[in-house]
Amino acid sequence: MIDTTMLWTAIYIAMLAAFTGYVVISRVPVILHTPLMSGSNFIHGIVLVGAMVALGLATTPLEQAIGFIAVILGAANVSGGYVVTERILQMFDRSGKKPKKEA
């Protein structure tokens, strides 16, 4: 049985984290947004590791489902960060080679 106080506390913390993230990101100038996001890719990796630990400690099916979703979203976040970083590095490449176009 899930303790309702703990559940509401977790929901409250998640809502505060989402709101704080939105406010912080919305106040970053557009020109700095992509470099900051790609530069903070290591934080995304830490989030992914935390999600995997939480999934490993999950005991109920609800906790396992939430943990699985967290791992999937964390992995997508890390992958996207590396894609953005690669694109930024290609923009500043002075070798004259054009990036490969993918089908």
Side-chain angles (χ1 to χ4, degrees), residues 16-87:
L16 283 176
F19 178 73
T20 303
Y22 174 77
V23 169
V24 168
I25 294 302
S26 67
R27 294 187 182 190
V28 172
V30 174
I31 194 146
L32 293 178
H33 185 267
T34 303
L36 285 175
M37 288 293 100
S38 64
S40 65
N41 212 18
F42 71 97
I43 294 173
H44 303 237
I46 293 169
V47 169
L48 179 59
V49 170
M52 290 189 299
V53 168
L55 178 59
L57 296 174
T59 56
T60 66
L62 178 63
E63 291 173 350
Q64 292 171 346
I66 292 171
F68 180 75
I69 292 170
V71 169
I72 295 297
L73 292 175
N77 204 0
V78 169
S79 301
Y82 281 113
V83 169
V84 168
T85 301
E86 182 63 30
R87 285 189 169 192

